[in-house]
C-alpha cells in the first residue's frame, strides 16, 4: 500500500525488544516516530540508533515516543544494542521492532511488495531507511526517506516535530529554516481581520499572502 501524509498510520502487532506491542495502543495519546533501518550490525544504522538514544529525553519533553524497526529478529537486535552503546556512548532506550517477516516494512511501503523474508543483506533492504512522524490521532504527519549510504539528520526530525506540534496547537506555518523561537507565518486562510483579533500584539505584512508574527507561546 502507498502511504501519504494525512493517512491513518497502519496498525500492526509486533514483537519488540521491550515485549509485544499493538502499534496504535502503544502510541496512546502521544506523538510517535517510527524509523527504520536496512539491517542490524551495519555501520550507518549503528550511529543513528545511538544518536536517537541520546535525543530521547528531547522527544520525551515533546510527548513523543520513538520506536525503531530493522528487518531482523528481536534476538539480533538485543545482541546489537551492546555494540551501539559501546561505540556511540548511549544505550538504546526505546523499543526495536523485529521485522524479519517484512510485514511492517511492506505496510509502510518501505520495501518492494514482492520482497520475501529469510536471509537478506542490507543491499536487499535498500529502501528501508524511512522516518514517519505520527500524531496522537494516528495520522501520518510527515515522512522522510533516505538511501542506505546517507545517515539521517535526527536534529532535523526534532525540528520538524516542533514545527508540526506548533502547527497543531496554533494553526500557523513555519518559514524556511525555522527554529523554535523564530517568527512564524499566518496562513492565507486567516483573514487580516481575524489575524488582528488573534494577534492583538500585531503582525508584519510583507505581501498580502506573506504575513509573519512572533511564535505563539
Amino acid at each position: 500500500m502507498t502511504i501519504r501524509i494525512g493517512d491513518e498510520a497502519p496498525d500492526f502487532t509486533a514483537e519488540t525488544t521491550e515485549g509485544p506491542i499493538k502499534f496504535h495502543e502503544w502510541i496512546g495519546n502521544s506523538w510517535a516516530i517510527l524509523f527504520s533501518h536496512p539491517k542490524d550490525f551495519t555501520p550507518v544504522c549503528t550511529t543513528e540508533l545511538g544518536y536517537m538514544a541520546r535525543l530521547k529525553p528531547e522527544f520525551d519533553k515533546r510527548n513523543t515516543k520513538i520506536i525503531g524497526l530493522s528487518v531482523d529478529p528481536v534476538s539480533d537486535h538485543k545482541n546489537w544494542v551492546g555494540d551501539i552503546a559501546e561505540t556511540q556512548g548511549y544505550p538504546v532506550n526505546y523499543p526495536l521492532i523485529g521485522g524479519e517477516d517484512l510485514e511492517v516494512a511492506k505496510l509502510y511501503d518501505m520495501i518492494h511488495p514482492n520482497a520475501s523474508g529469510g536471509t537478506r543483506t542490507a543491499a536487499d533492504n535498500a529502501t528501508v531507511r524511512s522516518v514517519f512522524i505520527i500524531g496522537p490521532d494516528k495520522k501520518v504527519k510527515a515522512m522522510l526517506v533516505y538511501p542506505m549510504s546517507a545517515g539521517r539528520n535526527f536534529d532535523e526530525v526534532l525540528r520538524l516535530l516542533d514545527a508540526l506540534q506548533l502547527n497543531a496547537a496554533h494553526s500557523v506555518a513555519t518559514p524556511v529554516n525555522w527554529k523554535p523561537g523564530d517568527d512564524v507565518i499566518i496562513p492565507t486562510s486567516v483573514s487580516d481581520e481575524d489575524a488582528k483579533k488573534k494577534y492583538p500584539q500585531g503582525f508584519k505584512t510583507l505581501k498580502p499572502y506573506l504575513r509573519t508574527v512572533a511564535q505563539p507561546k
Side-chain angles (χ1 to χ4, degrees), residues 43-147:
V44 176
C45 301
T46 298
T47 64
E48 290 185 330
L49 267 72
Y51 197 76
M52 279 299 266
R54 174 183 172 184
L55 282 181
K56 186 175 182 294
E58 293 300 320
F59 289 109
D60 290 343
K61 291 176 188 175
R62 293 159 172 82
N63 186 34
T64 300
K65 297 178 178 180
I66 58 178
I67 189 165
L69 164 72
S70 184
V71 290
D72 285 297
V74 168
S75 57
D76 284 0
H77 296 348
K78 289 182 176 179
N79 290 329
W80 184 26
V81 295
D83 290 357
I84 295 167
E86 177 186 347
T87 61
Q88 307 305 307
Y90 291 89
V92 174
N93 48 11
Y94 49 84
L96 298 176
I97 298 166
E100 69 271 28
D101 60 4
L102 307 183
E103 177 185 355
V104 179
K106 290 180 180 180
L107 272 178
Y108 280 79
D109 196 30
M110 303 178 200
I111 200 166
H112 194 283
N114 293 330
S116 59
T119 302
R120 300 178 60 83
T121 68
D124 294 327
N125 304 327
T127 60
V128 187
R129 193 187 291 284
S130 305
V131 180
F132 295 87
I133 300 181
I134 300 164
D137 59 0
K138 314 303 183 291
K139 299 288 181 64
V140 175
K141 306 301 183 182
M143 299 179 292
L144 300 168
V145 181
Y146 280 63

